[in-house]
């Protein structure tokens, strides 16, 4: 199992939510966790692209990465 690092700000918000029951922090926590998850997915796709064994796997990972990044088809190589 890999470790995941989050910002100190997000960690403090999570602690305040659970320890002090400050429920108004929930939207901020959700946003921070979604942002972290997106970054993890993007990193995984990039890694797949760089380490793919076949050209087909490499191209599939590259295309998915660029799609998620929002790079238009006309701008791609």
């Amino acid at each position: 199992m890999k470790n995941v690092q989050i910002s100190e700000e997000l960690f403090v918000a999570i602690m305040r939510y659970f320890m002090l029951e400050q429920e108004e922090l929930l939207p901020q926590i959700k946003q921070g966790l979604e942002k972290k998850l997106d970054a993890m997915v993007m990193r995984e796709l990039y890694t797949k692209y760089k380490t793919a064994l076949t050209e087909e796997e490499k191209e599939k990972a590259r295309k998915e990465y660029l799609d998620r990044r929002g790079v238009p088809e006309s701008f791609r190589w």
Side-chain angles (χ1 to χ4, degrees):
M1 191 67 146
K2 295 180 180 179
N3 293 325
V4 175
Q5 292 183 352
I6 60 172
S7 68
E8 183 178 350
E9 179 182 341
L10 179 56
F11 177 75
V12 170
I14 292 170
M15 291 298 295
R16 287 174 49 198
Y17 177 79
F18 284 103
M19 303 298 274
L20 302 175
E21 299 179 4
Q22 294 179 346
E23 294 185 16
E24 65 275 7
L25 295 172
L26 189 56
Q28 176 187 347
I29 292 169
K30 283 184 178 182
Q31 182 183 18
L33 291 175
E34 286 173 359
K35 184 178 174 184
K36 183 62 180 181
L37 181 59
D38 287 343
M40 290 170 57
V41 168
M42 293 303 290
R43 184 65 185 169
E44 181 66 26
L45 287 172
Y46 182 78
T47 300
K48 280 184 185 178
Y49 162 65
K50 286 297 194 179
T51 61
L53 299 176
T54 67
E55 284 298 319
E56 293 150 357
E57 290 174 349
K58 188 174 186 174
E59 182 60 24
K60 182 180 176 187
R62 184 185 74 85
K63 185 174 181 351
E64 188 174 351
Y65 176 81
L66 293 174
D67 287 344
R68 284 187 167 268
R69 271 277 180 227
V71 176
E73 291 282 339
S74 61
F75 194 69
R76 298 178 188 183
W77 68 96

